[in-house]
Amino acid sequence: MTIPPRVDAHQHFWRLADRQGHWPPASLQALHRDFVPADLEPLRQRAGIDGTVLVQSLPEESDTHQLLRLADQHAFIWGVVGWTDMKAADAAQRIAALASHRKLKGLRPMLQDLPDDAWIADTAVDAAAHAMQRCGLVFDALVLPRHLAALETFAARHPGLSVVIDHGGKPPIATGEIEPWRSRMARLAALPQVACKVSGLLTEAGARRDADALRPFVQALWELFGPERLLWGSDWPVLRLAGDYQGWRDMSHALFDSIVPAAADTHRAALFGGNAMRLYGLGFEA
């Protein structure tokens, strides 16, 4: 078996000078500074990560252009998930222009931050969704459990659009309450074009930052999405609020080894790289 490259399907870079009035606040000392490729480089090399998907963290096209410039400058950035206003009158044209860059692989409206929980269910986003599909882009869904019903409505209306749920849909790991999150995720998993990232889970765990706390939720994701629709991401540097890069990578390997010990090598290769390569249409540079 040819082992696919190892991919971190969800990481961020940012400059505080670009983020005035935006998260993170100064009170989050672990995050309140610039994070640039040189900061990630030793971490990803130690963890054996070959390439990454760089994800937007500001609802501004200027941020997306900056991320694409970084992708041009750093060979390990294999794809970018950017942002544009999906309800803009010229959304389709904007999407086509962004997609002309070879490393633009997806778009992400920051649904968790919008005042309307049903924003994505509005038919006003349909023209943008159709444009994304024409351009072969992935829709990244940054959601909380309360957004999952609206996301289901959107995804069901666009069966040809690949959807990737970020951070496992942010389950309430801190309280251990698996329902109704699991049932809502099950409805989304029933749609064949919907996949899910195993990322950001430590920051949802509160004080319960151990494998035992995460295991029921990771088990649920495995049962719902299976070996072909799960992909691993670090969510670095947000991860710094709850852990470190190597520790999260090692915990993730151990969790899946305990959940799916049979054919673990095949499933690990898909989860930690192969699925991201396929779902985002990634290429890599020597």
Side-chain angles (χ1 to χ4, degrees):
M1 180 187 73
T2 301
I3 299 175
R6 292 155 294 186
V7 180
D8 179 347
H10 198 104
Q11 56 94 186
H12 306 285
F13 295 128
W14 61 64
R15 302 180 303 188
L16 287 183
D18 301 329
R19 306 184 69 85
Q20 296 183 18
H22 292 278
W23 186 92
S27 59
L28 294 179
Q29 295 183 9
L31 302 182
H32 195 70
R33 67 170 179 82
D34 293 353
F35 287 95
V36 297
D39 297 312
L40 179 61
E41 187 70 2
L43 304 179
R44 74 161 188 93
Q45 288 193 10
R46 180 187 172 210
I49 302 300
D50 298 304
T52 73
V53 177
L54 177 57
V55 181
Q56 63 81 227
S57 57
L58 276 180
E60 299 174 2
E61 278 192 19
S62 59
D63 176 64
T64 299
H65 289 297
Q66 171 62 16
L67 300 183
L68 291 170
R69 285 192 290 272
L70 288 177
D72 284 336
Q73 297 163 8
H74 299 276
F76 74 83
I77 303 172
W78 292 351
V80 170
V81 173
W83 181 94
T84 195
D85 181 358
M86 292 184 65
K87 291 186 179 179
D90 61 345
Q93 291 85 352
R94 288 178 173 272
I95 289 167
L98 288 169
S100 67
H101 193 292
R102 62 190 178 89
K103 286 192 176 181
L104 196 283
K105 302 298 182 181
L107 294 172
R108 183 174 85 150
M110 303 184 76
L111 301 180
Q112 70 171 17
D113 297 332
L114 299 178
D116 179 7
D117 288 352
W119 187 92
I120 194 58
D122 187 351
T123 57
V125 303
D126 284 357
H130 293 313
M132 289 183 66
Q133 187 175 339
R134 287 194 299 272
C135 294
L137 299 179
V138 172
F139 179 90
D140 260 49
L142 177 61
V143 291
L144 296 165
R146 67 175 187 265
H147 301 104
L148 294 177
L151 180 62
E152 180 192 350
T153 298
F154 168 78
R157 205 164 64 235
H158 299 284
L161 177 64
S162 294
V163 175
V164 176
I165 303 171
D166 293 345
H167 312 324
K170 295 202 168 184
I173 299 171
T175 65
E177 297 174 1
I178 204 163
E179 291 293 350
W181 166 83
R182 191 189 192 284
S183 296
R184 293 171 180 169
M185 290 291 284
R187 292 176 63 89
L188 279 156
L191 302 173
Q193 86 276 23
V194 178
C196 186
K197 292 182 186 178
V198 182
S199 60
L201 300 184
L202 277 182
T203 51
E204 300 304 315
R208 306 175 72 235
R209 298 170 189 167
D210 55 56
D212 288 342
L214 270 61
R215 186 171 289 106
F217 297 90
V218 175
Q219 176 81 48
L221 292 175
W222 173 259
E223 292 170 355
L224 295 176
F225 291 93
E228 296 183 352
R229 292 190 291 153
L230 287 178
L231 47 164
W232 179 83
S234 68
D235 196 28
W236 184 92
V238 182
L239 172 66
R240 288 165 52 91
L241 293 173
D244 62 78
Y245 200 95
Q246 187 70 37
W248 170 237
R249 181 245 185 220
D250 292 347
M251 181 186 289
S252 300
H253 274 265
L255 275 168
F256 277 94
D257 286 350
S258 69
I259 290 169
V260 283
D265 288 345
T266 300
H267 296 328
R268 185 189 296 114
L271 172 68
F272 289 90
N275 291 342
M277 296 293 290
R278 174 175 49 84
L279 289 168
Y280 283 107
L282 303 179
F284 61 93
E285 301 175 18

